Amino acid sequence: EYCGFLDSFKPFYSWEKRSDDAMMLLVRFVSLTITALAVQQIAETTSMADVQDFVTSSYTDVLDWGVEKLTALPTAEREALPNLADLENETAGFNDDLTADDVADDDDDAEEVEVKDKEE
């Protein structure tokens, strides 16, 4: 409360006396115990080789992503999309004999129902 985050670790690298009460010392020892138990549990279930493999694969993934971004041609996505004239040529003569009435939904002729809001 009277010091910042980095200053709270100052007792690790300084011999100055702090104005902490017994409650603050208890909180620090409990925090240290929880941290030590967490590190112990992680050390039992994970080896350094696992961490090294994870970091290496992550680093490789980032590099591969960067290479793909740098080597991608700006017009590659445009070439993948078909041209409007090509689409019109492909669909020429397709369903020319259909009318708007042939493709209209039958539900369009349904009876309209008025919905009243309840105002109380």
Side-chain angles (χ1 to χ4, degrees):
E1 111 187 6
Y2 57 88
C3 62
F5 178 74
L6 292 177
D7 289 336
S8 66
F9 294 102
K10 198 170 182 178
F12 286 120
Y13 61 88
S14 175
W15 292 102
E16 295 176 17
K17 184 168 173 89
R18 297 180 54 96
S19 60
D20 291 339
D21 58 349
M23 184 63 176
M24 188 61 191
L25 289 174
L26 179 67
V27 168
R28 286 181 191 228
F29 283 124
V30 168
S31 300
L32 181 64
T33 303
I34 291 172
T35 303
L37 290 174
V39 168
Q40 178 187 3
Q41 289 295 321
I42 291 172
E44 288 177 1
T45 59
T46 308
S47 67
M48 286 304 290
D50 294 339
V51 174
Q52 182 180 3
D53 291 342
F54 175 72
V55 170
T56 304
S57 67
S58 298
Y59 182 67
T60 303
D61 290 343
V62 169
L63 287 178
D64 290 342
W65 175 82
V67 168
E68 288 177 13
K69 284 294 188 183
L70 290 175
T71 59
L73 298 175
T75 60
E77 291 179 6
R78 286 188 183 159
E79 291 174 4
L81 295 174
N83 190 352
L84 179 61
D86 294 338
L87 288 174
E88 288 174 350
N89 289 337
E90 286 179 12
T91 59
F94 182 71
N95 292 334
D96 284 342
D97 55 342
L98 293 178
T99 64
D101 292 333
D102 294 335
V103 294
D105 282 341
D106 292 335
D107 293 337
D108 291 343
D109 299 331
E111 183 180 322
E112 291 185 16
V113 176
E114 184 177 331
V115 177
K116 295 182 180 179
D117 291 335
K118 292 183 180 180
E119 294 180 8
E120 294 179 28

